[in-house]
Amino acid sequence: MKFIKLFFLLEIVLIVNVSAASRKSNRNNYKPVADTIIKLDSTKDKKLLKIKQSPLNKGAKTDTSKRKSKDGLDSELKFSDDDSTITDNVHKILYLYGHARVKYQDVEMDADFIRVDQKNHLIFASGSIDPVTHRYIGRPITKQGKDKPVESDSLLFDYKSKKGKVYNPASQQEGNYISGGQVKKLNDDEAAYRNVLFSTCDKPFPETDFGIVITKGIGEKNRIISGPAYLEVEGVPLPLAIPFGFFPKPDHKTSGVILPTFGEDAQLGFYVRNLGYYLALNDYVDFTTEGTYYSKGSYELNETVHYLNRYEYSGNLSLSYGSHNYGLEGDPPSKDFNITWSHTKNPNSSPGSTFSASVNAGTSSFYQNNPTSVNYNLQALTQNNLSSSISYSKQWLGTPFNLNIALSHSQDLTAKTVTLNLPTVSFNMSTINPFDSKDRVGEQKWYQKITVGYSLQAENNINAVPENELFKGSTLFKRMQNGLEHQIPIGFNQTFAKYFQFSASATYTEQWYLQSIKESYDRNNLINPDAPVIDTVSGFKRAGEYTLSAGVSTKVYFLAQFKHSKLKAIREVMTPSLSLSYHPDFSDPSFGYYKTVVSNAVIPYPATVTNYSIFQNGVYGGPTAGKEAALNLSIDNTIEAKVRAKATDTSQTDRKIKIIDGLTFATSYNFAADSFKLSQISFSGHTALFHEKVNVTFSGSLNPYETNLRDSVSGGQINKYVQTVNRYSFQDGRLPTLSSFSMSISGSLNPSTFQKNATTPPVGALVNNTNGQQANRLALLNSDPGAYVDFKVPWNISFNYNFSYANNITNTSIANTLMLSGDVNLTDKWKVQYTTNYDLRARQLGSATSFSIYRDLHCWDLSFQWLPFGYYKSYNVTLRVKSTILQDLKLSKKSDYTSSPYFNNQ
């Protein structure tokens, strides 16, 4: 054990201390006080050592001397006390009273009383009784280097034989705590235990909530070999005992077997879960292998690799496979796999370049069939997509160039499709001023303000492939699309007439492809003769287009002041922007980017003529069809109010309130269009209420044209359709029609919300500021690994209200939902958490509703999670030890959810 080595070093400390302190007093007739060893609970034991302090040599003193000991060791000795130091030269004893301290090399010892008997080779240290509180204070505390301190009621040590006794020790060993009883030092690496409490609670004996009493045992550096031992809870011994035992105390990675948990699944049968082996290969790599077997034949396998190269990189890789039979007996099992990989590179290891990976991929039904892999986390079970990204970036310092290479993956779990980018390459040159001079003196001339940039994008992807076809050989060749795009932006900005900002830009874009398409009609297709046949044509093709634009913007201020009102002023800042944009019609046959296909003439229907882009299936598309010569208009508004300070406000500072921020209206008018030249009018804005505690955002669009509702007959039924007329509604005295509108109101309320000058910490700040021990506990609090149980916040409510409206004239659709989540402290140890959503229109709770309770049991955690209804209806009760070493010591009761689609009807 670590604290045993301290006593060997204290031998040298206190031998030198005797000779150094002997010069302070020559009281040869002083007799030593008999020692009384403190045993068991020192706070309740009335027979404690009562030491009479000497009136001599009072006051805090510090002495430093450098002596050579009998062992030939040179060292600097420091000792001090706040009360008095007494030296008995006859009996060769030194006494230190009141916050006594001895320091030698990297060893420190503090106690209220320290006695050194050089004649009998004994060191004694203890505390004392406080005359006011009558409690035992000043216990001996010893510490060496970076080791954790060891506290005891008293200790007696023979520094010649290197043996000693420690009474009621209290020390921490990698998350475990040893306290109570007696410890007898046998040698430098071993000690004998008697009635010692081995526990995960950081409370000292006898307040410990839970522990194992080792009646007799031997403690070594990395383990405890125990004789008879029994379980004790809240000081009450339980009839759970073992004749012998082995308790590890690792200070480094150690390989070993991972004990499983046992239970029963409603559909899969009895199980042995997470039986495995942990292999600590070295300080940089370790492997964890786990498996679960169910009595009805299902099984799960998981392999996890953690790796670390300090100051360079770190990461972990996990491979999971599961075979489950949720159907009838004899049905083929559902086989799923999942791979996760997380890699982080220290940016300081190679400045200018970074590499990172975040991978989460697998079969679409993995999380639904393997709920234990995420501990029944509702958010993971109900997710609709998976995504991955592996990226590398390089920045050439001192130049405007940078390179980014990324491999990405996205997976739609509902549609069971996969999209891969293998890879995406981006090479960029940030904008420069080519006509400016590095040695320029004074302001830039107009031509020196011209900027030029460049970017190159390359993609090679497979888009929306069914996951069961992904690994077929033909998929990679037939479904893969690739392309390369160059873009050169040229810009210019100039302020004129002090208040107007003029900007002009020209952008040239060119795409390169290795394939294009060709459409035709199959004369033999009698089932659907109007459907064209699309063929892929191999060969290099290029497409180029350009866009020109110029615009001007300014700011207009409006101010309304009020003299005899609490409201002092209202200010509006309007930012109108007017611009012209132009690009030609790239569908003109002279460019060669668009082709014409003619359908077969079928009586009584005539032939149809259709234009199509030969790049319409390309990763970047093709040049834009239709000529544009548009006038674009947008108006942005910000409205603020200034409120007079209250008479009780000593600072007399006016308060500013934002009434609305970013209220924007935008539209455009295309002079080159044949009809419908005016686009729809869009608007958006946001504001904050209750001292910016509640956020409100909204957006929508207005249709400026007249519409007529018409009837058509198809399949013997009358169908309604909308006919848009090229006539503005205001020409007939009507306002534009509201086509769509959406609004979101969100916020988080807690006691700090209603406090003046309260600031809300950013998301994740509480977690980021936790220490190592708190971080370990957070990972084990309940079944949701993302939850953070903070008892400092008595209650918290987070809400998100969403409203959407869509009007296509024939019908309207409205969505009106409210999402609530939060927690509340019932007591200092009880926390209730909840998450739900409510459809206000349907008057129904959503199926993604969860309710959980957390109870802090000091060195234990009790968590209960309940999904009361829906597809994932289940509950989960877990009682576990907080200690990271004993985290597998837990009791769990689960009611697994059913995969039956008719669950809600049962």
Side-chain angles (χ1 to χ4, degrees):
M1 296 175 60
K2 297 180 179 178
F3 69 86
I4 297 178
K5 296 182 179 180
L6 301 179
F7 299 109
F8 174 71
L9 293 176
L10 285 176
E11 169 196 357
I12 302 172
V13 174
L14 297 177
I15 289 177
V16 181
N17 193 8
V18 171
S19 59
S22 62
R23 297 175 298 176
K24 292 192 173 185
S25 175
N26 291 316
R27 295 179 55 87
N28 298 330
N29 57 351
Y30 182 81
K31 295 182 179 180
V33 180
D35 296 331
T36 301
I37 302 300
I38 308 302
K39 301 180 180 180
L40 300 179
D41 182 13
S42 58
T43 62
K44 299 178 181 179
D45 193 348
K46 302 301 182 180
K47 298 179 179 180
L48 298 174
L49 178 62
K50 297 184 179 181
I51 302 174
K52 297 181 180 180
Q53 298 180 354
S54 172
L56 302 177
N57 305 322
K58 289 189 176 182
K61 295 168 288 299
T62 300
D63 188 16
T64 301
S65 60
K66 190 172 184 179
R67 302 284 183 89
K68 189 171 183 178
S69 68
K70 296 180 180 180
D71 297 329
L73 299 178
D74 290 327
S75 181
E76 183 179 347
L77 172 68
K78 293 183 179 180
F79 61 89
S80 64
D81 59 76
D82 287 348
D83 198 335
S84 61
T85 301
I86 299 177
T87 302
D88 183 354
N89 290 329
V90 175
H91 299 90
K92 296 183 178 180
I93 298 177
L94 172 69
Y95 302 89
L96 299 176
Y97 297 94
H99 296 92
R101 161 169 286 198
V102 175
K103 183 176 181 181
Y104 180 79
Q105 293 182 349
D106 61 343
V107 179
E108 297 181 49
M109 180 177 183
D110 289 342
D112 203 65
F113 169 70
I114 298 177
R115 183 182 72 90
V116 180
D117 186 345
Q118 187 178 10
K119 182 177 181 181
N120 297 312
H121 317 103
L122 294 176
I123 302 171
F124 175 77
S126 68
S128 63
I129 294 293
D130 187 287
V132 178
T133 62
H134 301 289
R135 295 187 64 85
Y136 190 57
I137 61 173
R139 290 178 173 83
I141 300 175
T142 55
K143 185 179 185 300
Q144 178 183 6
K146 297 182 179 180
D147 292 342
K148 296 178 181 179
V150 178
E151 185 176 358
S152 60
D153 277 355
S154 62
L155 60 91
L156 182 65
F157 180 69
D158 188 327
Y159 55 81
K160 186 174 182 179
S161 63
K162 301 178 183 178
K163 296 181 180 181
K165 290 184 178 181
V166 182
Y167 293 87
N168 195 15
S171 65
Q172 180 182 357
Q173 302 290 332
E174 302 298 331
N176 298 318
Y177 298 87
I178 298 175
S179 63
Q182 300 178 19
V183 176
K184 183 177 181 181
K185 180 180 177 296
L186 302 178
N187 52 50
D188 290 343
D189 296 324
E190 292 184 352
Y193 290 156
R194 181 179 179 183
N195 296 327
V196 169
L197 187 67
F198 183 81
S199 173
T200 62
C201 297
D202 56 3
K203 290 182 179 180
F205 176 84
E207 287 83 6
T208 305
D209 294 330
F210 163 85
I212 299 174
V213 178
I214 301 175
T215 58
K216 292 182 179 180
I218 298 295
E220 298 180 350
K221 182 177 181 181
N222 296 322
R223 61 185 176 180
I224 298 176
I225 302 173
S226 168
Y230 60 88
L231 186 66
E232 186 176 275
V233 178
E234 294 287 354
V236 178
L238 300 181
L240 298 175
I242 55 175
F244 58 88
F246 176 84
F247 302 93
K249 299 189 303 173
D251 57 359
H252 61 278
K253 292 183 178 180
T254 304
S255 302
V257 176
I258 300 175
L259 298 179
T261 58
F262 304 89
E264 181 183 8
D265 185 274
Q267 292 181 283
L268 304 179
F270 296 98
Y271 61 76
V272 179
R273 178 169 290 165
N274 294 334
L275 172 64
Y277 189 81
Y278 174 77
L279 175 61
L281 193 61
N282 50 46
D283 292 338
Y284 307 102
V285 182
D286 61 62
F287 296 84
T288 303
T289 304
E290 292 179 313
T292 299
Y293 179 76
Y294 298 87
S295 60
K296 293 184 178 181
S298 300
Y299 61 90
E300 301 165 4
L301 299 173
N302 180 266
E303 180 71 29
T304 302
V305 181
H306 299 274
Y307 57 90
L308 169 67
N309 189 346
R310 186 170 295 180
Y311 309 120
E312 292 289 339
Y313 56 82
S314 64
N316 59 79
L317 173 66
S318 178
L319 301 174
S320 302
Y321 178 81
S323 176
H324 302 85
N325 191 347
Y326 287 105
L328 300 175
E329 186 176 355
D331 291 347
S334 174
K335 297 183 178 181
D336 301 283
F337 75 92
N338 182 260
I339 176 173
T340 61
W341 180 32
S342 175
H343 179 93
T344 303
K345 179 177 178 294
N346 190 331
N348 297 325
S349 61
S350 56
S353 65
T354 61
F355 177 80
S356 64
S358 177
V359 176
N360 186 8
T363 54
S364 58
S365 56
F366 175 81
Y367 287 107
Q368 286 74 20
N369 292 336
N370 297 264
T372 56
S373 62
V374 290
N375 288 329
Y376 295 85
N377 184 348
L378 185 61
Q379 183 179 359
L381 292 174
T382 57
Q383 60 187 329
N384 295 321
N385 56 75
L386 301 178
S387 61
S388 306
S389 176
I390 303 174
S391 61
Y392 169 80
S393 65
K394 172 68 175 178
Q395 172 72 48
W396 284 272
L397 301 179
T399 70
F401 302 103
N402 63 82
L403 173 68
N404 295 277
I405 302 175
L407 303 175
S408 63
H409 145 271
S410 62
Q411 189 171 351
D412 190 328
L413 301 183
T414 303
K416 297 185 178 182
T417 59
V418 180
T419 297
L420 301 175
N421 289 309
L422 306 170
T424 299
V425 180
S426 174
F427 178 78
N428 302 284
M429 182 189 75
S430 57
T431 56
I432 61 174
N433 300 91
F435 304 108
D436 199 359
S437 174
K438 295 182 179 180
D439 301 327
R440 172 179 52 84
V441 177
E443 295 184 358
Q444 288 180 315
K445 297 180 180 179
W446 70 268
Y447 60 87
Q448 293 176 328
K449 295 181 181 180
I450 297 175
T451 60
V452 178
Y454 172 76
S455 68
L456 180 148
Q457 308 287 330
E459 286 192 22
N460 188 47
N461 61 38
I462 301 175
N463 187 39
V465 177
E467 65 177 42
N468 57 358
E469 300 180 5
L470 181 62
F471 296 103
K472 293 182 178 180
S474 60
T475 301
L476 296 178
F477 299 100
K478 292 185 178 181
R479 301 293 297 269
M480 184 170 288
Q481 296 177 325
N482 45 59
L484 188 146
E485 182 180 76
H486 307 267
Q487 194 170 78
I488 302 176
I490 302 174
F492 172 75
N493 288 277
Q494 179 68 47
T495 302
F496 66 95
K498 294 184 181 181
Y499 305 108
F500 297 92
Q501 183 71 30
F502 173 78
S503 62
S505 65
T507 303
Y508 177 76
T509 304
E510 181 167 310
Q511 294 102 14
W512 292 354
Y513 294 109
L514 297 179
Q515 56 190 11
S516 57
I517 68 166
K518 180 181 180 181
E519 292 187 5
S520 62
Y521 286 91
D522 185 3
R523 297 180 182 273
N524 297 322
N525 187 356
L526 302 178
I527 298 176
N528 191 5
D530 294 332
V533 178
I534 301 177
D535 296 322
T536 301
V537 180
S538 300
F540 176 78
K541 293 287 184 180
R542 59 161 297 277
E545 65 175 322
Y546 61 89
T547 301
L548 305 175
S549 65
V552 63
S553 65
T554 188
K555 290 184 180 295
V556 182
Y557 297 87
F558 300 92
L559 182 64
Q561 296 182 336
F562 306 92
K563 295 184 179 180
H564 304 288
S565 173
K566 184 178 179 180
L567 180 63
K568 188 174 183 179
I570 295 179
R571 189 183 73 162
E572 178 184 4
V573 181
M574 180 186 295
T575 307
S577 298
L578 189 66
S579 64
L580 292 170
S581 60
Y582 171 80
H583 70 76
D585 182 10
F586 291 101
S587 65
D588 189 278
S590 61
F591 290 100
Y593 304 147
Y594 285 76
K595 300 293 184 180
T596 302
V597 60
V598 180
S599 67
N600 298 326
V602 179
I603 300 175
Y605 303 106
T608 58
V609 179
T610 306
N611 288 340
Y612 68 93
S613 171
I614 63 175
F615 305 112
Q616 65 184 12
N617 292 337
V619 293
Y620 300 107
T624 307
K627 184 178 181 180
E628 179 183 285
L631 176 67
N632 308 298
L633 174 66
S634 68
I635 301 176
D636 181 83
N637 300 271
T638 299
I639 304 175
E640 297 178 325
K642 182 178 289 188
V643 180
R644 298 181 190 276
K646 296 182 179 180
T648 56
D649 188 354
T650 57
S651 64
Q652 289 298 301
T653 303
D654 296 333
R655 184 162 57 95
K656 292 182 179 181
I657 301 175
K658 281 191 175 182
I659 299 176
I660 194 166
D661 189 16
L663 178 60
T664 303
F665 296 89
T667 187
S668 64
Y669 188 88
N670 187 6
F671 293 97
D674 295 333
S675 59
F676 304 106
K677 298 184 177 182
L678 184 66
S679 68
Q680 288 206 355
I681 303 170
S682 64
F683 63 90
S684 63
H686 61 274
T687 187
L689 307 175
F690 306 110
H691 302 285
E692 300 185 356
K693 303 299 182 182
V694 178
N695 298 313
V696 180
T697 61
F698 59 89
S699 63
S701 61
L702 301 170
N703 183 7
Y705 294 100
E706 287 285 346
T707 56
N708 295 326
L709 192 61
R710 297 286 186 258
D711 295 334
S712 65
V713 179
S714 176
Q717 294 182 349
I718 299 177
N719 300 316
K720 296 184 179 296
Y721 69 96
V722 179
Q723 181 184 44
T724 304
V725 182
N726 189 23
R727 179 179 176 83
Y728 301 118
S729 56
F730 66 82
Q731 290 179 288
D732 297 329
R734 289 192 293 270
L735 294 174
T737 304
L738 181 63
S739 299
S740 64
F741 178 78
S742 64
M743 181 177 64
S744 175
I745 303 176
S746 61
S748 180
L749 304 177
N750 52 56
S752 63
T753 306
F754 305 97
Q755 297 176 1
K756 293 183 178 180
N757 302 324
T759 57
T760 303
V763 177
L766 294 176
V767 178
N768 293 334
N769 292 331
T770 58
N771 56 37
Q773 182 181 9
Q774 292 170 333
N776 291 332
R777 290 183 177 183
L778 291 177
L780 304 173
L781 289 182
N782 58 31
S783 5
D784 183 3
Y788 178 71
V789 180
D790 185 8
F791 282 92
K792 295 180 181 179
V793 181
W795 60 269
N796 182 72
I797 299 176
S798 298
F799 61 91
N800 191 348
Y801 169 76
N802 291 283
F803 174 84
S804 63
Y805 167 84
N807 179 17
N808 60 359
I809 307 304
T810 58
N811 56 68
T812 60
S813 61
I814 298 176
N816 200 3
T817 59
L818 176 65
M819 299 181 64
L820 290 174
S821 64
D823 54 69
V824 59
N825 288 357
L826 299 181
T827 67
D828 292 340
K829 299 294 183 180
W830 285 94
K831 170 84 76 173
V832 177
Q833 299 173 311
Y834 56 89
T835 299
T836 187
N837 59 73
Y838 184 74
D839 191 327
L840 299 175
R841 188 174 178 83
R843 298 181 180 179
Q844 180 179 338
L845 280 174
S847 59
T849 298
S850 66
F851 177 82
S852 58
I853 301 176
Y854 170 75
R855 174 66 164 94
D856 184 2
L857 298 174
H858 183 61
C859 56
W860 291 76
D861 284 315
L862 174 65
S863 63
F864 168 73
Q865 185 181 34
W866 179 37
L867 308 181
F869 47 79
Y871 184 83
Y872 297 102
K873 179 180 179 181
S874 62
Y875 71 84
N876 180 7
V877 182
T878 302
L879 176 65
R880 74 175 84 206
V881 178
K882 288 181 179 179
S883 171
T884 55
I885 294 179
L886 299 178
Q887 57 184 297
D888 290 326
L889 182 59
K890 61 183 178 181
L891 299 174
S892 180
K893 176 62 178 175
K894 298 178 181 179
S895 171
D896 295 342
Y897 77 93
T898 174
S899 59
S900 171
Y902 307 103
F903 182 87
N904 292 324
N905 298 326
Q906 296 180 357

